[in-house]
Amino acid sequence: MNLILLGPPGSGKGTQSKILVKNLGLVQLSTGDMLREAVKSGSVIGQKVAKIMDAGELVTDEIINSLIREKLAERNSGFIFDGYPRTLNQADSLEAQLARAGARVDMVIELLVDVDQLIERIVGRLSCVSCGAMFHKTYQPPTIEGICDVCGGDLMQRKDDNEESFRTRLLEYYQKTAPLTGYYHRAGILKHVSSIGSIEEISERIEATIQAG
Ligand code: ADP
Ligand code: ZN
């Protein structure tokens, strides 16, 4: 099974992916995480993408497709794609690569949100530098301020989690990524899940949707 989670920044793709990894044994493939790793390590790709990411713009399809190609060379099923594909070109590329391995995208879940809530979710968001666990200053505060409940690592705010970059990210989403819903609707594999409510409520809805096929 290959699953894509689609939704604007702050819709909960990363949080929900991590839960699906635990409950369903899928492997999370987050291009955002991969790019942040590249920035942290100071690799050639990392140096190229840092400014673009901080501003909230999309990285080129060429870079993304090459990152994904490496991952799909290792396995071609059991993925939960989080934050990828983000353009029609990336969707075509994914389909072609999976088809070559006899695999496909089985389901696409679009997380439906109240756009007015996104900004609050984003600017209060914290993530662990060591293990990637996510927290929120108001909605899900860590037990000890600045410290990860899971591993004791330091909590940081992402550089693109500010109001200006968020607006750019949202615009990029509506212009370039939202059209993918039409693409997957046409393929007959698009499902909708409301991403309003508690993390548990949303994950239950997602799992029910997957189970229903
Ligand atoms: P979010 O979904 O919260 O906006 P991500 O972690 O998925 O955050 O992505 C962070 C940034 O990484 C994006 O704003 C963009 O610059 C870059 N990025 C991640 N995935 C892609 C992709 N598939 N195509 C282009 N850029 C991407
Ligand atoms: Zn941690």
Side-chain angles (χ1 to χ4, degrees):
M1 154 111 192
N2 284 313
L3 174 73
I4 294 174
L5 283 190
L6 210 59
S11 58
K13 301 182 298 287
T15 304
Q16 294 299 332
S17 296
K18 290 191 175 70
I19 295 174
L20 292 171
V21 165
K22 244 197 277 165
N23 293 356
L24 303 180
L26 295 168
V27 173
Q28 180 187 11
L29 208 160
S30 159
T31 42
D33 285 350
M34 289 163 73
L35 291 168
R36 279 185 288 277
E37 282 297 318
V39 171
K40 214 159 84 178
S41 75
S43 69
V44 179
I45 286 185
Q47 291 173 24
K48 265 195 217 168
V49 301
K51 276 209 191 92
I52 298 171
M53 289 177 73
D54 290 352
E57 289 158 18
L58 290 191
V59 169
T60 63
D61 289 336
E62 199 189 349
I63 289 178
I64 298 294
N65 289 341
S66 77
L67 285 177
I68 289 287
R69 211 172 295 129
E70 280 175 37
K71 291 288 172 185
L72 292 184
E74 293 163 16
R75 59 187 289 165
N76 52 54
S77 197
F79 281 119
I80 166 159
F81 295 101
D82 155 18
Y84 170 87
R86 256 176 156 95
T87 63
L88 287 166
N89 172 299
Q90 291 176 20
D92 279 337
S93 165
L94 175 62
E95 189 177 300
Q97 286 185 70
L98 288 175
R100 237 174 276 140
R104 65 193 175 114
V105 176
D106 298 280
M107 190 182 283
V108 178
I109 295 182
E110 183 188 8
L111 297 175
L112 304 176
V113 293
D114 176 354
V115 179
D116 296 333
Q117 285 180 1
L118 293 178
I119 182 78
E120 241 188 304
R121 280 200 194 177
I122 287 274
V123 298
R125 194 156 80 159
L126 299 166
S127 67
C128 173
V129 195
S130 308
C131 77
M134 308 279 295
F135 298 87
H136 190 281
K137 285 177 188 165
T138 319
Y139 307 127
Q140 204 197 344
T143 315
I144 304 165
E145 197 184 318
I147 303 292
C148 174
D149 284 357
V150 181
C151 78
D154 289 330
L155 297 182
M156 288 258 298
Q157 181 160 38
R158 262 167 57 176
K159 270 196 188 161
D160 59 346
D161 279 351
N162 61 73
E163 192 158 346
E164 197 190 343
S165 303
F166 169 74
R167 290 197 191 292
T168 305
R169 284 154 68 195
L170 198 58
L171 200 66
E172 290 279 61
Y173 179 77
Y174 284 120
Q175 284 180 341
K176 296 173 186 163
T177 310
L180 294 182
T181 57
Y183 179 96
Y184 290 120
H185 172 70
R186 202 158 158 234
I189 55 174
L190 182 69
K191 310 274 179 191
H192 296 104
V193 167
S194 163
S195 194
I196 296 172
S198 71
I199 292 173
E200 293 75 29
E201 279 165 351
I202 298 161
S203 71
E204 277 165 21
R205 280 181 213 137
I206 292 177
E207 282 173 32
T209 303
I210 295 172
Q211 240 86 76

